[in-house]
Amino acid sequence: MSIRVMLVDDQVLLRTGFRMVLAAQPDMEVVAEAGDGLEALEVLRSTKVDVVLMDVRMPKLDGVEATRRICERDEHPDVIILTTFDLDEYAFSGLKAGASGFMLKDVPPAELLAAIRSVHSGDAVVAPSTTRRLLDRFAPMLPTATQEPQNKEIERLTEREREVMLLVAQGMSNGEIAARLVLSEATVKTHVGRILTKLNLRDRVQVVVLAYETGLVRAGGA
């Protein structure tokens, strides 16, 4: 079954370019487009979408607020924030709002396609190294972190789950975590699922954000 993608950007030419790239893929189809956040929310009321490619700087309603409203819904699509500038504060806000990752608009087509598939599968953070650099850059915007995480929910994690969470926060995929801890990928996937459930998080990106907020991971390193 094809991955149903929605393009949200006020630049028609950019949407056209993305549409051409996606249309050439046997496992993807562009099922909807919108020129601003408000239009995107309206379209999503009647169109089934798996992944939204969301611009941030748009008229009427920007991509950050649109992402927040989308992610508040039940059974919502995954959102990838598109930004013109690396380490954009809008991208940081988008992750906080619930986006599954972010990419630059001039990303090579192969990376964009891999990101869409990755987010749709729920297996890995989009561009984990870039996500961590973004969080490092905007760490001063986060609450002051102490030596030990203060989030009460984290205390519910087992020692192994906390270890897995730390590696997720470092941008590792399930396969990389499995190799590091000498576990099967299926076991790592189970641990990640339990972490998301216990911490009431949507996806792996929110694991990374929470790890920074609580001090489990600090700017500049683990």
Side-chain angles (χ1 to χ4, degrees), residues 65-85:
E65 181 58 28
T67 296
R68 191 185 322 280
R69 296 186 191 182
I70 289 172
C71 292
E72 287 176 348
R73 299 178 176 182
D74 294 331
E75 302 296 324
H76 61 77
D78 295 305
V79 179
I80 297 177
I81 292 288
L82 297 175
T83 177
T84 304
F85 305 103

Side-chain angles (χ1 to χ4, degrees), residues 102-174:
F102 81 99
M103 306 201 78
L104 298 178
K105 286 187 176 182
D106 61 356
V107 63
E111 290 186 24
L112 175 66
L113 297 172
I116 293 172
R117 294 186 179 104
S118 177
V119 166
H120 183 248
S121 71
D123 182 58
V125 174
V126 177
S129 60
T130 308
T131 301
R132 287 203 65 207
R133 286 193 297 111
L134 179 81
L135 288 165
D136 283 347
R137 168 67 177 80
F138 290 100
M141 297 172 61
L142 297 173
T144 301
T146 54
Q147 184 65 26
E148 289 298 320
Q150 296 300 304
N151 186 283
K152 294 297 183 182
E153 298 302 315
I154 288 181
E155 296 176 1
R156 298 175 53 200
L157 300 180
T158 65
E159 182 177 351
R160 176 63 84 186
E161 288 167 351
R162 184 161 164 167
E163 189 174 14
V164 170
M165 179 181 179
L166 179 60
L167 296 178
V168 169
Q170 292 177 24
M172 291 189 180
S173 66
N174 284 351

Side-chain angles (χ1 to χ4, degrees), residues 57-70:
R57 307 188 186 196
M58 297 180 293
K60 297 183 181 179
L61 186 70
D62 66 45
V64 173
E65 181 58 28
T67 296
R68 191 185 322 280
R69 296 186 191 182
I70 289 172

